[in-house]
mmCIF file of all heavy atoms in Angstrom:
data_model
loop_
_atom_site.group_PDB
_atom_site.id
_atom_site.type_symbol
_atom_site.label_atom_id
_atom_site.label_comp_id
_atom_site.label_asym_id
_atom_site.label_seq_id
_atom_site.Cartn_x
_atom_site.Cartn_y
_atom_site.Cartn_z
ATOM 1 N N MET A 1 -111.923 -112.136 100.725
ATOM 2 C CA MET A 1 -111.145 -111.882 99.488
ATOM 3 C C MET A 1 -109.887 -112.745 99.479
ATOM 4 O O MET A 1 -109.135 -112.776 100.435
ATOM 5 C CB MET A 1 -110.759 -110.393 99.446
ATOM 6 C CG MET A 1 -109.980 -110.032 98.198
ATOM 7 S SD MET A 1 -109.399 -108.332 98.260
ATOM 8 C CE MET A 1 -110.915 -107.413 98.089
ATOM 9 N N THR A 2 -109.673 -113.435 98.359
ATOM 10 C CA THR A 2 -108.488 -114.285 98.244
ATOM 11 C C THR A 2 -107.574 -113.780 97.130
ATOM 12 O O THR A 2 -107.993 -113.028 96.260
ATOM 13 C CB THR A 2 -108.883 -115.744 97.942
ATOM 14 O OG1 THR A 2 -109.561 -115.788 96.704
ATOM 15 C CG2 THR A 2 -109.756 -116.306 99.036
ATOM 16 N N GLU A 3 -106.344 -114.244 97.167
ATOM 17 C CA GLU A 3 -105.365 -113.828 96.145
ATOM 18 C C GLU A 3 -104.982 -115.013 95.264
ATOM 19 O O GLU A 3 -103.851 -115.148 94.837
ATOM 20 C CB GLU A 3 -104.118 -113.266 96.837
ATOM 21 C CG GLU A 3 -104.382 -111.983 97.588
ATOM 22 C CD GLU A 3 -104.497 -110.792 96.630
ATOM 23 O OE1 GLU A 3 -103.980 -110.893 95.520
ATOM 24 O OE2 GLU A 3 -105.127 -109.796 97.020
ATOM 25 N N ASP A 4 -105.932 -115.906 95.019
ATOM 26 C CA ASP A 4 -105.630 -117.107 94.243
ATOM 27 C C ASP A 4 -105.279 -116.791 92.784
ATOM 28 O O ASP A 4 -104.389 -117.385 92.202
ATOM 29 C CB ASP A 4 -106.811 -118.066 94.262
ATOM 30 C CG ASP A 4 -106.881 -118.815 95.587
ATOM 31 O OD1 ASP A 4 -105.849 -118.847 96.294
ATOM 32 O OD2 ASP A 4 -107.953 -119.336 95.913
ATOM 33 N N ALA A 5 -106.015 -115.879 92.197
ATOM 34 C CA ALA A 5 -105.795 -115.582 90.791
ATOM 35 C C ALA A 5 -104.507 -114.781 90.602
ATOM 36 O O ALA A 5 -104.367 -113.689 91.140
ATOM 37 C CB ALA A 5 -106.982 -114.823 90.223
ATOM 38 N N ARG A 6 -103.610 -115.363 89.833
ATOM 39 C CA ARG A 6 -102.361 -114.647 89.553
ATOM 40 C C ARG A 6 -102.447 -113.978 88.187
ATOM 41 O O ARG A 6 -102.597 -114.672 87.179
ATOM 42 C CB ARG A 6 -101.179 -115.623 89.559
ATOM 43 C CG ARG A 6 -100.944 -116.248 90.924
ATOM 44 C CD ARG A 6 -99.780 -117.221 90.867
ATOM 45 N NE ARG A 6 -98.567 -116.575 90.330
ATOM 46 C CZ ARG A 6 -97.522 -117.245 89.869
ATOM 47 N NH1 ARG A 6 -97.537 -118.548 89.857
ATOM 48 N NH2 ARG A 6 -96.476 -116.603 89.419
ATOM 49 N N PRO A 7 -102.352 -112.683 88.145
ATOM 50 C CA PRO A 7 -102.404 -111.993 86.848
ATOM 51 C C PRO A 7 -101.180 -112.319 86.009
ATOM 52 O O PRO A 7 -100.089 -112.529 86.541
ATOM 53 C CB PRO A 7 -102.427 -110.508 87.227
ATOM 54 C CG PRO A 7 -101.796 -110.454 88.578
ATOM 55 C CD PRO A 7 -102.165 -111.757 89.250
ATOM 56 N N ALA A 8 -101.366 -112.394 84.715
ATOM 57 C CA ALA A 8 -100.247 -112.680 83.818
ATOM 58 C C ALA A 8 -99.228 -111.559 83.884
ATOM 59 O O ALA A 8 -99.581 -110.385 83.900
ATOM 60 C CB ALA A 8 -100.760 -112.852 82.399
ATOM 61 N N ASP A 9 -97.984 -111.949 83.940
ATOM 62 C CA ASP A 9 -96.911 -110.963 83.968
ATOM 63 C C ASP A 9 -96.742 -110.384 82.555
ATOM 64 O O ASP A 9 -96.383 -111.103 81.631
ATOM 65 C CB ASP A 9 -95.626 -111.656 84.421
ATOM 66 C CG ASP A 9 -94.503 -110.642 84.623
ATOM 67 O OD1 ASP A 9 -94.622 -109.497 84.148
ATOM 68 O OD2 ASP A 9 -93.499 -110.997 85.244
ATOM 69 N N PRO A 10 -97.012 -109.124 82.372
ATOM 70 C CA PRO A 10 -96.944 -108.535 81.020
ATOM 71 C C PRO A 10 -95.523 -108.453 80.480
ATOM 72 O O PRO A 10 -95.318 -108.279 79.293
ATOM 73 C CB PRO A 10 -97.542 -107.141 81.217
ATOM 74 C CG PRO A 10 -97.303 -106.823 82.652
ATOM 75 C CD PRO A 10 -97.397 -108.145 83.381
ATOM 76 N N GLY A 11 -94.549 -108.617 81.360
ATOM 77 C CA GLY A 11 -93.170 -108.482 80.911
ATOM 78 C C GLY A 11 -92.553 -109.782 80.432
ATOM 79 O O GLY A 11 -91.426 -109.807 79.978
ATOM 80 N N GLU A 12 -93.315 -110.869 80.564
ATOM 81 C CA GLU A 12 -92.742 -112.171 80.190
ATOM 82 C C GLU A 12 -93.810 -113.037 79.547
ATOM 83 O O GLU A 12 -94.731 -113.496 80.205
ATOM 84 C CB GLU A 12 -92.180 -112.857 81.437
ATOM 85 C CG GLU A 12 -91.436 -114.128 81.128
ATOM 86 C CD GLU A 12 -90.653 -114.609 82.338
ATOM 87 O OE1 GLU A 12 -90.833 -114.062 83.424
ATOM 88 O OE2 GLU A 12 -89.871 -115.531 82.180
ATOM 89 N N ASP A 13 -93.688 -113.271 78.243
ATOM 90 C CA ASP A 13 -94.733 -114.026 77.559
ATOM 91 C C ASP A 13 -94.399 -115.515 77.438
ATOM 92 O O ASP A 13 -95.171 -116.293 76.924
ATOM 93 C CB ASP A 13 -95.022 -113.429 76.180
ATOM 94 C CG ASP A 13 -93.808 -113.448 75.267
ATOM 95 O OD1 ASP A 13 -92.794 -114.051 75.658
ATOM 96 O OD2 ASP A 13 -93.889 -112.884 74.188
ATOM 97 N N GLY A 14 -93.225 -115.911 77.930
ATOM 98 C CA GLY A 14 -92.867 -117.323 77.924
ATOM 99 C C GLY A 14 -92.847 -117.930 76.544
ATOM 100 O O GLY A 14 -93.422 -118.972 76.305
ATOM 101 N N GLY A 15 -92.179 -117.276 75.626
ATOM 102 C CA GLY A 15 -92.137 -117.765 74.244
ATOM 103 C C GLY A 15 -91.523 -119.152 74.158
ATOM 104 O O GLY A 15 -90.685 -119.531 74.961
ATOM 105 N N ASP A 16 -91.957 -119.907 73.149
ATOM 106 C CA ASP A 16 -91.445 -121.257 72.948
ATOM 107 C C ASP A 16 -89.971 -121.222 72.539
ATOM 108 O O ASP A 16 -89.634 -120.632 71.528
ATOM 109 C CB ASP A 16 -92.272 -121.914 71.843
ATOM 110 C CG ASP A 16 -91.903 -123.371 71.656
ATOM 111 O OD1 ASP A 16 -90.927 -123.818 72.288
ATOM 112 O OD2 ASP A 16 -92.579 -124.050 70.890
ATOM 113 N N PRO A 17 -89.088 -121.822 73.314
ATOM 114 C CA PRO A 17 -87.658 -121.781 72.990
ATOM 115 C C PRO A 17 -87.332 -122.477 71.684
ATOM 116 O O PRO A 17 -86.320 -122.198 71.069
ATOM 117 C CB PRO A 17 -86.988 -122.481 74.169
ATOM 118 C CG PRO A 17 -88.061 -123.276 74.814
ATOM 119 C CD PRO A 17 -89.350 -122.537 74.546
ATOM 120 N N ALA A 18 -88.206 -123.377 71.235
ATOM 121 C CA ALA A 18 -87.942 -124.096 69.985
ATOM 122 C C ALA A 18 -87.892 -123.151 68.794
ATOM 123 O O ALA A 18 -87.269 -123.438 67.786
ATOM 124 C CB ALA A 18 -89.009 -125.146 69.751
ATOM 125 N N CYS A 19 -88.552 -121.993 68.943
ATOM 126 C CA CYS A 19 -88.596 -121.060 67.825
ATOM 127 C C CYS A 19 -87.208 -120.503 67.522
ATOM 128 O O CYS A 19 -86.948 -120.061 66.416
ATOM 129 C CB CYS A 19 -89.580 -119.939 68.081
ATOM 130 S SG CYS A 19 -89.120 -118.802 69.375
ATOM 131 N N TRP A 20 -86.317 -120.500 68.495
ATOM 132 C CA TRP A 20 -84.951 -120.044 68.208
ATOM 133 C C TRP A 20 -83.957 -121.191 68.279
ATOM 134 O O TRP A 20 -82.917 -121.127 67.634
ATOM 135 C CB TRP A 20 -84.540 -118.891 69.119
ATOM 136 C CG TRP A 20 -84.510 -119.188 70.572
ATOM 137 C CD1 TRP A 20 -85.500 -118.917 71.477
ATOM 138 C CD2 TRP A 20 -83.444 -119.787 71.305
ATOM 139 N NE1 TRP A 20 -85.104 -119.342 72.713
ATOM 140 C CE2 TRP A 20 -83.848 -119.867 72.650
ATOM 141 C CE3 TRP A 20 -82.178 -120.267 70.946
ATOM 142 C CZ2 TRP A 20 -83.045 -120.425 73.635
ATOM 143 C CZ3 TRP A 20 -81.374 -120.821 71.940
ATOM 144 C CH2 TRP A 20 -81.811 -120.885 73.269
ATOM 145 N N LEU A 21 -84.296 -122.247 68.992
ATOM 146 C CA LEU A 21 -83.374 -123.388 69.069
ATOM 147 C C LEU A 21 -83.147 -124.004 67.696
ATOM 148 O O LEU A 21 -82.057 -124.469 67.389
ATOM 149 C CB LEU A 21 -83.927 -124.449 70.019
ATOM 150 C CG LEU A 21 -83.637 -124.231 71.491
ATOM 151 C CD1 LEU A 21 -84.331 -125.305 72.332
ATOM 152 C CD2 LEU A 21 -82.133 -124.270 71.750
ATOM 153 N N ARG A 22 -84.178 -123.985 66.874
ATOM 154 C CA ARG A 22 -84.025 -124.589 65.548
ATOM 155 C C ARG A 22 -83.133 -123.744 64.656
ATOM 156 O O ARG A 22 -82.728 -124.173 63.587
ATOM 157 C CB ARG A 22 -85.387 -124.803 64.895
ATOM 158 C CG ARG A 22 -86.110 -123.515 64.570
ATOM 159 C CD ARG A 22 -87.433 -123.818 63.900
ATOM 160 N NE ARG A 22 -88.073 -122.601 63.429
ATOM 161 C CZ ARG A 22 -89.071 -122.575 62.568
ATOM 162 N NH1 ARG A 22 -89.555 -123.700 62.105
ATOM 163 N NH2 ARG A 22 -89.601 -121.444 62.190
ATOM 164 N N ARG A 23 -82.861 -122.516 65.100
ATOM 165 C CA ARG A 23 -81.946 -121.661 64.337
ATOM 166 C C ARG A 23 -80.492 -121.935 64.693
ATOM 167 O O ARG A 23 -79.591 -121.433 64.039
ATOM 168 C CB ARG A 23 -82.218 -120.189 64.640
ATOM 169 C CG ARG A 23 -83.500 -119.664 64.051
ATOM 170 C CD ARG A 23 -83.519 -118.173 64.227
ATOM 171 N NE ARG A 23 -84.745 -117.568 63.719
ATOM 172 C CZ ARG A 23 -84.905 -116.243 63.652
ATOM 173 N NH1 ARG A 23 -83.958 -115.437 64.061
ATOM 174 N NH2 ARG A 23 -86.023 -115.754 63.191
ATOM 175 N N VAL A 24 -80.265 -122.693 65.732
ATOM 176 C CA VAL A 24 -78.895 -122.952 66.160
ATOM 177 C C VAL A 24 -78.251 -123.981 65.240
ATOM 178 O O VAL A 24 -78.767 -125.077 65.041
ATOM 179 C CB VAL A 24 -78.874 -123.445 67.614
ATOM 180 C CG1 VAL A 24 -77.440 -123.772 68.035
ATOM 181 C CG2 VAL A 24 -79.465 -122.391 68.540
ATOM 182 N N CYS A 25 -77.089 -123.644 64.701
ATOM 183 C CA CYS A 25 -76.377 -124.543 63.812
ATOM 184 C C CYS A 25 -75.937 -125.798 64.565
ATOM 185 O O CYS A 25 -75.295 -125.693 65.616
ATOM 186 C CB CYS A 25 -75.157 -123.821 63.243
ATOM 187 S SG CYS A 25 -74.129 -124.884 62.229
ATOM 188 N N PRO A 26 -76.283 -126.983 64.036
ATOM 189 C CA PRO A 26 -75.893 -128.231 64.697
ATOM 190 C C PRO A 26 -74.394 -128.494 64.604
ATOM 191 O O PRO A 26 -73.848 -129.294 65.357
ATOM 192 C CB PRO A 26 -76.694 -129.299 63.945
ATOM 193 C CG PRO A 26 -76.944 -128.708 62.598
ATOM 194 C CD PRO A 26 -77.057 -127.222 62.813
ATOM 195 N N ALA A 27 -73.733 -127.828 63.686
ATOM 196 C CA ALA A 27 -72.311 -128.074 63.477
ATOM 197 C C ALA A 27 -71.429 -127.170 64.338
ATOM 198 O O ALA A 27 -70.444 -127.613 64.920
ATOM 199 C CB ALA A 27 -71.972 -127.901 62.009
ATOM 200 N N CYS A 28 -71.778 -125.887 64.421
ATOM 201 C CA CYS A 28 -70.893 -124.957 65.130
ATOM 202 C C CYS A 28 -71.592 -124.189 66.247
ATOM 203 O O CYS A 28 -70.948 -123.521 67.042
ATOM 204 C CB CYS A 28 -70.256 -123.990 64.142
ATOM 205 S SG CYS A 28 -71.388 -122.744 63.492
ATOM 206 N N GLY A 29 -72.932 -124.277 66.296
ATOM 207 C CA GLY A 29 -73.641 -123.643 67.402
ATOM 208 C C GLY A 29 -73.983 -122.179 67.175
ATOM 209 O O GLY A 29 -74.536 -121.526 68.042
ATOM 210 N N ARG A 30 -73.684 -121.676 66.001
ATOM 211 C CA ARG A 30 -74.015 -120.281 65.713
ATOM 212 C C ARG A 30 -75.522 -120.118 65.552
ATOM 213 O O ARG A 30 -76.195 -120.989 65.005
ATOM 214 C CB ARG A 30 -73.300 -119.840 64.436
ATOM 215 C CG ARG A 30 -73.608 -118.393 64.052
ATOM 216 C CD ARG A 30 -73.105 -118.117 62.642
ATOM 217 N NE ARG A 30 -73.610 -116.857 62.152
ATOM 218 C CZ ARG A 30 -72.921 -115.701 62.189
ATOM 219 N NH1 ARG A 30 -71.711 -115.687 62.696
ATOM 220 N NH2 ARG A 30 -73.445 -114.595 61.721
ATOM 221 N N LEU A 31 -76.049 -118.980 65.990
ATOM 222 C CA LEU A 31 -77.472 -118.710 65.838
ATOM 223 C C LEU A 31 -77.712 -117.997 64.508
ATOM 224 O O LEU A 31 -77.135 -116.935 64.268
ATOM 225 C CB LEU A 31 -77.958 -117.845 67.004
ATOM 226 C CG LEU A 31 -79.464 -117.637 67.093
ATOM 227 C CD1 LEU A 31 -80.151 -118.965 67.397
ATOM 228 C CD2 LEU A 31 -79.792 -116.624 68.169
ATOM 229 N N ALA A 32 -78.535 -118.622 63.656
ATOM 230 C CA ALA A 32 -78.816 -118.023 62.351
ATOM 231 C C ALA A 32 -79.650 -116.759 62.501
ATOM 232 O O ALA A 32 -80.375 -116.588 63.477
ATOM 233 C CB ALA A 32 -79.543 -119.035 61.467
ATOM 234 N N ASP A 33 -79.529 -115.888 61.504
ATOM 235 C CA ASP A 33 -80.242 -114.613 61.553
ATOM 236 C C ASP A 33 -81.718 -114.758 61.206
ATOM 237 O O ASP A 33 -82.536 -113.927 61.585
ATOM 238 C CB ASP A 33 -79.599 -113.616 60.589
ATOM 239 C CG ASP A 33 -78.192 -113.234 61.034
ATOM 240 O OD1 ASP A 33 -77.931 -113.251 62.244
ATOM 241 O OD2 ASP A 33 -77.355 -112.935 60.168
ATOM 242 N N VAL A 34 -82.044 -115.802 60.442
ATOM 243 C CA VAL A 34 -83.419 -116.000 59.997
ATOM 244 C C VAL A 34 -83.840 -117.441 60.250
ATOM 245 O O VAL A 34 -83.009 -118.312 60.515
ATOM 246 C CB VAL A 34 -83.575 -115.663 58.499
ATOM 247 C CG1 VAL A 34 -83.271 -114.192 58.253
ATOM 248 C CG2 VAL A 34 -82.670 -116.534 57.656
ATOM 249 N N ASP A 35 -85.143 -117.693 60.135
ATOM 250 C CA ASP A 35 -85.649 -119.040 60.321
ATOM 251 C C ASP A 35 -85.151 -119.967 59.217
ATOM 252 O O ASP A 35 -85.001 -119.552 58.067
ATOM 253 C CB ASP A 35 -87.178 -119.022 60.299
ATOM 254 C CG ASP A 35 -87.749 -118.466 61.585
ATOM 255 O OD1 ASP A 35 -87.062 -118.538 62.620
ATOM 256 O OD2 ASP A 35 -88.876 -117.965 61.550
ATOM 257 N N PRO A 36 -84.911 -121.225 59.540
ATOM 258 C CA PRO A 36 -84.537 -122.197 58.522
ATOM 259 C C PRO A 36 -85.698 -122.454 57.556
ATOM 260 O O PRO A 36 -86.849 -122.211 57.923
ATOM 261 C CB PRO A 36 -84.194 -123.451 59.344
ATOM 262 C CG PRO A 36 -84.854 -123.260 60.658
ATOM 263 C CD PRO A 36 -84.957 -121.778 60.876
ATOM 264 N N PRO A 37 -85.449 -122.967 56.362
ATOM 265 C CA PRO A 37 -84.134 -123.438 55.912
ATOM 266 C C PRO A 37 -83.192 -122.300 55.548
ATOM 267 O O PRO A 37 -83.579 -121.385 54.842
ATOM 268 C CB PRO A 37 -84.469 -124.284 54.679
ATOM 269 C CG PRO A 37 -85.728 -123.686 54.137
ATOM 270 C CD PRO A 37 -86.485 -123.202 55.361
ATOM 271 N N VAL A 38 -81.979 -122.398 56.070
ATOM 272 C CA VAL A 38 -80.973 -121.382 55.796
ATOM 273 C C VAL A 38 -79.612 -122.015 56.011
ATOM 274 O O VAL A 38 -79.481 -122.982 56.768
ATOM 275 C CB VAL A 38 -81.169 -120.161 56.721
ATOM 276 C CG1 VAL A 38 -80.917 -120.519 58.175
ATOM 277 C CG2 VAL A 38 -80.255 -119.013 56.315
ATOM 278 N N ARG A 39 -78.610 -121.489 55.339
ATOM 279 C CA ARG A 39 -77.268 -122.011 55.564
ATOM 280 C C ARG A 39 -76.573 -121.187 56.636
ATOM 281 O O ARG A 39 -76.701 -119.976 56.684
ATOM 282 C CB ARG A 39 -76.449 -121.978 54.273
ATOM 283 C CG ARG A 39 -76.835 -123.107 53.331
ATOM 284 C CD ARG A 39 -75.786 -123.372 52.282
ATOM 285 N NE ARG A 39 -76.201 -124.459 51.395
ATOM 286 C CZ ARG A 39 -75.988 -125.756 51.705
ATOM 287 N NH1 ARG A 39 -75.369 -126.086 52.820
ATOM 288 N NH2 ARG A 39 -76.394 -126.703 50.890
ATOM 289 N N CYS A 40 -75.833 -121.890 57.463
ATOM 290 C CA CYS A 40 -75.087 -121.230 58.528
ATOM 291 C C CYS A 40 -74.089 -120.241 57.921
ATOM 292 O O CYS A 40 -73.347 -120.583 57.004
ATOM 293 C CB CYS A 40 -74.373 -122.280 59.368
ATOM 294 S SG CYS A 40 -73.308 -121.569 60.632
ATOM 295 N N ALA A 41 -74.085 -119.025 58.448
ATOM 296 C CA ALA A 41 -73.186 -117.998 57.923
ATOM 297 C C ALA A 41 -71.742 -118.276 58.310
ATOM 298 O O ALA A 41 -70.817 -117.750 57.707
ATOM 299 C CB ALA A 41 -73.611 -116.631 58.442
ATOM 300 N N ALA A 42 -71.553 -119.098 59.316
ATOM 301 C CA ALA A 42 -70.197 -119.345 59.803
ATOM 302 C C ALA A 42 -69.548 -120.550 59.136
ATOM 303 O O ALA A 42 -68.391 -120.498 58.737
ATOM 304 C CB ALA A 42 -70.221 -119.538 61.317
ATOM 305 N N CYS A 43 -70.287 -121.659 58.997
ATOM 306 C CA CYS A 43 -69.665 -122.881 58.497
ATOM 307 C C CYS A 43 -70.361 -123.452 57.267
ATOM 308 O O CYS A 43 -69.869 -124.389 56.669
ATOM 309 C CB CYS A 43 -69.618 -123.927 59.611
ATOM 310 S SG CYS A 43 -71.222 -124.633 60.000
ATOM 311 N N GLY A 44 -71.506 -122.899 56.876
ATOM 312 C CA GLY A 44 -72.177 -123.356 55.672
ATOM 313 C C GLY A 44 -73.105 -124.539 55.881
ATOM 314 O O GLY A 44 -73.704 -125.037 54.930
ATOM 315 N N GLU A 45 -73.252 -125.007 57.122
ATOM 316 C CA GLU A 45 -74.154 -126.119 57.401
ATOM 317 C C GLU A 45 -75.587 -125.707 57.096
ATOM 318 O O GLU A 45 -75.997 -124.591 57.400
ATOM 319 C CB GLU A 45 -74.033 -126.500 58.884
ATOM 320 C CG GLU A 45 -74.905 -127.660 59.289
ATOM 321 C CD GLU A 45 -74.289 -128.996 58.899
ATOM 322 O OE1 GLU A 45 -73.151 -129.022 58.394
ATOM 323 O OE2 GLU A 45 -74.966 -130.022 59.100
ATOM 324 N N LEU A 46 -76.341 -126.625 56.462
ATOM 325 C CA LEU A 46 -77.738 -126.318 56.161
ATOM 326 C C LEU A 46 -78.606 -126.628 57.387
ATOM 327 O O LEU A 46 -78.596 -127.741 57.910
ATOM 328 C CB LEU A 46 -78.203 -127.149 54.970
ATOM 329 C CG LEU A 46 -79.665 -126.936 54.589
ATOM 330 C CD1 LEU A 46 -79.898 -125.499 54.134
ATOM 331 C CD2 LEU A 46 -80.085 -127.907 53.506
ATOM 332 N N LEU A 47 -79.343 -125.618 57.824
ATOM 333 C CA LEU A 47 -80.256 -125.830 58.943
ATOM 334 C C LEU A 47 -81.613 -126.229 58.371
ATOM 335 O O LEU A 47 -82.236 -125.447 57.666
ATOM 336 C CB LEU A 47 -80.392 -124.552 59.770
ATOM 337 C CG LEU A 47 -79.101 -123.853 60.192
ATOM 338 C CD1 LEU A 47 -79.417 -122.762 61.190
ATOM 339 C CD2 LEU A 47 -78.101 -124.810 60.784
ATOM 340 N N PRO A 48 -82.067 -127.427 58.631
ATOM 341 C CA PRO A 48 -83.324 -127.907 58.066
ATOM 342 C C PRO A 48 -84.542 -127.265 58.722
ATOM 343 O O PRO A 48 -84.518 -126.945 59.906
ATOM 344 C CB PRO A 48 -83.277 -129.413 58.335
ATOM 345 C CG PRO A 48 -82.440 -129.543 59.566
ATOM 346 C CD PRO A 48 -81.425 -128.419 59.492
ATOM 347 N N ALA A 49 -85.600 -127.101 57.935
ATOM 348 C CA ALA A 49 -86.836 -126.521 58.456
ATOM 349 C C ALA A 49 -87.875 -127.617 58.618
ATOM 350 O O ALA A 49 -88.972 -127.540 58.105
ATOM 351 C CB ALA A 49 -87.333 -125.444 57.510
ATOM 352 N N ASP A 50 -87.508 -128.654 59.345
ATOM 353 C CA ASP A 50 -88.387 -129.822 59.427
ATOM 354 C C ASP A 50 -89.317 -129.768 60.623
ATOM 355 O O ASP A 50 -89.969 -130.728 60.944
ATOM 356 C CB ASP A 50 -87.559 -131.109 59.442
ATOM 357 C CG ASP A 50 -86.586 -131.144 60.607
ATOM 358 O OD1 ASP A 50 -86.550 -130.161 61.367
ATOM 359 O OD2 ASP A 50 -85.883 -132.141 60.760
ATOM 360 N N ARG A 51 -89.379 -128.632 61.317
ATOM 361 C CA ARG A 51 -90.345 -128.540 62.406
ATOM 362 C C ARG A 51 -90.814 -127.149 62.678
ATOM 363 O O ARG A 51 -90.884 -126.289 62.073
ATOM 364 C CB ARG A 51 -89.792 -129.086 63.714
ATOM 365 C CG ARG A 51 -88.484 -128.505 64.142
ATOM 366 C CD ARG A 51 -88.204 -128.880 65.569
ATOM 367 N NE ARG A 51 -89.334 -128.494 66.421
ATOM 368 C CZ ARG A 51 -89.239 -128.417 67.744
ATOM 369 N NH1 ARG A 51 -88.147 -128.743 68.333
ATOM 370 N NH2 ARG A 51 -90.263 -128.042 68.464
HETATM 371 ZN ZN1 ZN B 101 -72.408 -123.501 61.564
#
């Protein structure tokens, strides 16, 4: 019997960081509440939804 197979950790799904990084305002760094396109609540910068 070997222990080669590692079961997936149910507590960590390794979500893609890009899904929230694109919400970060390029001007002030604030994290938007919703997915872009949206305007930054802090400085009014438009966060593009180009990806
Ligand atoms: Zn901002």
Side-chain angles (χ1 to χ4, degrees):
M1 181 186 290
T2 62
E3 294 284 338
D4 283 341
R6 296 179 55 197
D9 186 345
E12 186 168 9
D13 61 7
D16 186 353
C19 68
W20 62 263
L21 276 176
R22 66 179 187 165
R23 288 189 182 187
V24 178
C25 175
C28 73
R30 179 192 169 97
L31 188 66
D33 294 331
V34 297
D35 285 335
V38 66
R39 283 198 180 275
C40 175
C43 73
E45 181 80 5
L46 178 64
L47 311 190
D50 59 359
R51 53 167 306 196

